[in-house]
Amino acid sequence: MRVLTPILCTLFLMGCGPNQGSIPVQIVAPIDNEMTRYGLRVATLQRMSDFSQLKGERFIFRAGRNVPWSEYAVASENQDSFESVRSTLSKKLALDPVSPRFSWNGDFYGAADFDSLYMATAYYWFERVADFFQDTVKDTSVATHIPVVVSVYGAFTSKGFVKVPTGFADNSAYQPLEDIFRMYRVGDQEGVPFEMNPGVIAHEFQHRVFHKLVFETKGKEGYRLWKTFSSTNSSLKLARPRALLRATDEGMADIHALAFSRNPNFLAVSQPHSDSSREEQRNLESEFAKVATYDNLADSSIEAQFLNDCNGESLNYANPSWRFYCLGTVIAKTIWDASGNDVDVLRLHYLPVLNRCFAALGDALLADFANYDVDVFWRILLPKLDADARLPLCANIKLRFQSLYSRIPECV
Amino acid sequence: MKILIASLILMSPHEALATQAHFEIPVILSTSQTPALSTDLKVGIGVGFTQFPLEFYSFRLGYGTLVTLSPLFWHGTKEVYTSGVDMELDCRAYLAYAFDGSVISFWPYVVLGPNANLKVTKINVFDESDRSYRMDYGFRGGGGIKVRFGDFDVKIESAAGFGSQGLSLRTTIMFGFGIF
């Protein structure tokens, strides 16, 4: 019957399978609670308005384009708000619907090719992550309340007659200028493709939440702040606060990914045969996570092997080439250990409070971006925590941010 | 219609209807692109026949059918990937113009006809796997050129399609012996 159904449906031109509402579809999903082992499962995509184009009430999948980086720079010139940039970009970069291929077997849809399986799985996890941010993180920002486009494949390219794609595989990203998620092709990675990895999707979704609350709640001032933060052409004087804020952003993304996936090493399933110490940096139970501190990364006194994996010396975080993910791990590890390495404690006592800090962080950055350091973030967070959560966090801040500790009266 | 066909026959310089039947086993290389995102590359083997029962001057009017079997290339990672097989049935009507030479012949042509496609996809995720079966159908119309070098034939064709998968554009190269 599973073979005959699609054939009979086609021959008799019957409407086969639902196209709106709740859609059962076969996806790639974890088969354990810690999301370390994966298999094929039937899941339900909810609130679909057009399944044949993977368009729903919260997520709209579109075919990505190869676009030169320079077009983004041009689009943001002489603009004073995110809205005006997006209006310009959407006219230039209107995306086409996707055309996934599924077959209905009478009970659920099965993907007819890898791309369709990839998209259906990603769509499902975007929905679950959005629910997580609404229900558990208690986010009330537009990040969880307005639809967002997921751009499938496509890449940034070089300028010129032959547009060479750069970084177009084995990755995933949130693109704040367009306010879209980018889903890249599978290249030579192993394991679970990145956009089928629920932790990765939660990580990217948190970037959107961070961006919306820190920058976009501040109107035009927030746009100018974001331009200063994201520009690579700006003064090197701002390299330090830029790196520290990026590290804060990445630390928040990783801690939310851990909380959603219940896995401190959520990337491992997408890097199963990796023996790269650099890839181990993001594992909050790795040797790097255990030894790295704000201070030994600032003065490069951490073991040489770890130093190399962070692209050398940070020069007190003023080195623009330094890998800020390294400090992001320290920030995430501080919160993870404060929770007692308990995902339920993390979800209940820390994440909703973190979410309430981001708008205040934006205010602090507007007041003084040039002098931003991570203690600013801790000082916003700590008063909002209850005592049971604040005390262990103070203990871990003292352990990992020793030189900043005296600046945090909420702990001292 | 009968008057038209009768007129065409009477106009033909040939005394009788010319029938050219071609039994075909081509190697097929085709790319098919649907709007946005999806580009398929198929390499397969076909079997079929083409016949040109009507000939007037150098025009050839004919029909044919072709069944193509193509593997679906492995796609994904070592642990999460798809593979499978694609079977396609094409029924086509041809209008060709024959430039027949002693060594080399060119037959530019236009083509139109329905097609049906069954795709069997195996999805593998670590230790689990499953199969999906998808049937598509539609119409294709386009044109191309067949070149014959002695007994060896190459055919290049582009056709726009419309059907259950929406719009598509397919470019096909066929080569072998005895293809029309």
Side-chain angles (χ1 to χ4, degrees):
Chain A
M1 200 52 197
R2 285 182 63 188
V3 180
L4 283 180
T5 299
I7 296 172
L8 290 172
C9 287
T10 304
L11 286 174
F12 294 100
L13 300 178
M14 289 151 53
C16 291
N19 194 47
Q20 292 181 329
S22 299
I23 313 287
V25 63
Q26 196 174 44
I27 63 162
V28 175
I31 54 177
D32 63 342
N33 282 339
E34 290 75 32
M35 300 193 180
T36 57
R37 292 184 300 125
Y38 282 70
L40 270 173
R41 291 294 181 269
V42 177
T44 302
L45 306 190
Q46 294 163 353
R47 306 199 287 188
M48 297 300 293
S49 48
D50 186 347
F51 176 67
S52 68
Q53 293 187 355
L54 281 178
K55 186 178 170 188
E57 290 179 15
R58 289 189 288 186
F59 298 96
I60 302 163
F61 275 48
R62 285 285 186 260
R65 288 194 181 178
N66 292 344
V67 179
W69 273 109
S70 54
E71 288 211 19
Y72 281 83
V74 165
S76 62
E77 277 172 14
N78 304 318
Q79 305 287 350
D80 61 359
S81 68
F82 288 106
E83 290 75 20
S84 59
V85 171
R86 282 170 196 155
S87 173
T88 306
L89 279 172
S90 67
K91 289 180 191 121
K92 280 167 147 324
L93 304 175
L95 301 179
D96 296 320
V98 292
S99 51
R101 281 170 276 207
F102 297 95
S103 65
W104 177 254
N105 71 354
D107 296 316
F108 58 84
Y109 281 105
D113 55 48
F114 181 81
D115 295 338
S116 304
L117 177 69
Y118 200 28
M119 287 191 277
T121 302
Y123 195 102
Y124 175 77
W125 289 115
F126 269 110
E127 281 198 320
R128 298 288 73 73
V129 164
D131 288 340
F132 172 77
F133 272 84
Q134 270 189 303
D135 302 333
T136 302
V137 179
K138 309 265 190 261
D139 179 70
T140 55
S141 75
V142 296
T144 44
H145 289 83
I146 60 170
V148 63
V149 166
V150 179
S151 169
V152 182
Y153 302 164
F156 289 113
T157 70
S158 59
K159 206 176 158 181
F161 182 73
V162 178
K163 294 181 172 43
V164 179
T166 57
F168 59 96
D170 298 336
N171 211 337
S172 177
Y174 170 64
Q175 215 294 313
L177 256 188
E178 287 179 273
D179 190 26
I180 61 172
F181 291 103
R182 284 184 171 267
M183 183 172 145
Y184 291 105
R185 295 185 183 280
V186 170
D188 59 5
Q189 76 156 109
E190 295 178 345
V192 175
F194 277 95
E195 213 77 19
M196 290 179 175
N197 183 327
V200 168
I201 292 180
H203 174 104
E204 298 307 330
F205 199 93
Q206 165 57 27
H207 280 314
R208 187 178 193 232
V209 171
F210 187 91
H211 177 82
K212 291 292 186 190
L213 288 169
V214 171
F215 298 106
E216 292 196 26
T217 51
K218 316 300 173 201
K220 291 182 181 181
E221 279 189 304
Y223 177 69
R224 283 195 290 275
L225 175 66
W226 179 82
K227 282 201 78 174
T228 305
F229 160 60
S230 61
S231 171
T232 51
N233 294 329
S234 291
S235 158
L236 280 176
K237 278 195 302 187
L238 296 177
R240 186 174 192 274
R242 217 179 275 131
L244 291 165
L245 185 59
R246 283 204 168 102
T248 307
D249 189 2
E250 292 300 335
M252 291 303 105
D254 277 352
I255 199 68
H256 283 77
L258 185 164
F260 179 75
S261 64
R262 293 185 171 273
N263 186 345
N265 193 12
F266 66 93
L267 283 174
V269 74
S270 295
Q271 301 161 332
H273 306 300
S274 169
D275 56 4
S276 161
S277 53
R278 170 173 282 209
E279 285 164 355
E280 267 290 282
Q281 279 173 357
R282 308 283 293 281
N283 175 7
L284 294 190
E285 297 297 340
S286 66
E287 200 52 39
F288 173 80
K290 288 175 187 165
V291 304
T293 68
Y294 173 88
D295 295 303
N296 66 20
L297 291 176
D299 64 15
S300 304
S301 58
I302 195 170
E303 285 93 322
Q305 166 210 332
F306 295 134
L307 208 61
N308 290 337
D309 292 337
C310 296
N311 285 359
E313 297 184 359
S314 78
L315 305 176
N316 195 24
Y317 304 113
N319 178 0
S321 306
W322 190 72
R323 191 171 153 78
F324 48 82
Y325 289 93
C326 294
L327 183 60
T329 293
V330 176
I331 294 169
K333 178 70 169 168
T334 302
I335 299 172
W336 175 229
D337 283 358
S339 74
N341 304 132
D342 186 324
V343 171
D344 293 318
V345 169
L346 186 64
R347 288 179 171 196
L348 191 60
H349 294 287
Y350 288 93
L351 295 198
V353 184
L354 283 169
N355 187 267
R356 293 201 297 272
C357 292
F358 298 136
L361 176 61
D363 293 331
L365 294 169
L366 278 176
D368 187 6
F369 173 68
N371 290 306
Y372 174 73
D373 210 325
V374 187
D375 64 298
V376 171
F377 178 71
W378 295 134
R379 293 196 61 195
I380 293 171
L381 171 63
L382 284 159
K384 294 179 170 56
L385 291 168
D386 58 50
D388 287 341
R390 186 168 58 247
L391 291 173
L393 182 59
C394 281
N396 279 279
I397 290 172
K398 189 174 184 183
L399 184 65
R400 291 193 179 79
F401 291 83
Q402 200 161 36
S403 64
L404 298 182
Y405 191 70
S406 60
R407 295 195 220 170
I408 306 173
E410 291 80 2
C411 281
V412 172
Chain B
M1 189 63 179
K2 289 178 190 173
I3 296 171
L4 174 65
I5 293 175
S7 305
L8 288 172
I9 294 168
L10 288 170
M11 282 166 57
S12 167
H14 296 263
E15 291 183 357
L17 288 174
T19 300
Q20 298 176 46
H22 306 261
F23 182 63
E24 308 176 20
I25 307 180
V27 174
I28 293 159
L29 184 75
S30 71
T31 66
S32 178
Q33 186 168 31
T34 54
L37 184 71
S38 179
T39 300
D40 285 337
L41 174 67
K42 279 190 207 174
V43 180
I45 299 278
V47 62
F49 81 92
T50 307
Q51 196 166 11
F52 289 90
L54 275 182
E55 183 176 316
F56 50 98
Y57 294 99
S58 293
F59 285 98
R60 306 280 187 269
L61 194 63
Y63 58 89
T65 188
L66 183 69
V67 175
T68 308
L69 200 68
S70 312
L72 293 176
F73 294 124
W74 177 94
H75 189 181
T77 69
K78 275 201 301 195
E79 293 82 1
V80 180
Y81 63 92
T82 58
S83 59
V85 69
D86 185 287
M87 286 166 280
E88 187 148 15
L89 168 67
D90 276 273
C91 299
R92 357 186 61 203
Y94 293 102
L95 176 62
Y97 192 89
F99 295 96
D100 285 323
S102 55
V103 174
I104 189 167
S105 302
F106 296 92
W107 283 39
Y109 65 91
V110 291
V111 63
L112 179 71
N115 65 280
N117 175 264
L118 175 65
K119 187 181 277 188
V120 182
T121 305
K122 188 168 176 242
I123 303 170
N124 302 271
V125 180
F126 290 94
D127 300 326
E128 298 183 14
S129 68
D130 200 1
R131 281 187 174 81
S132 75
Y133 302 85
R134 184 182 164 101
M135 190 83 170
D136 280 300
Y137 57 90
F139 266 89
R140 266 202 285 270
I145 186 164
K146 185 207 81 171
V147 181
R148 170 163 283 182
F149 307 90
D151 293 326
F152 184 70
D153 302 304
V154 178
K155 199 161 96 173
I156 300 171
E157 177 184 300
S158 263
F162 174 80
S164 58
Q165 190 53 49
L167 296 173
S168 66
L169 182 68
R170 164 174 285 193
T171 303
T172 307
I173 300 174
M174 275 199 259
F175 50 92
F177 298 93
I179 63 177
F180 100 79

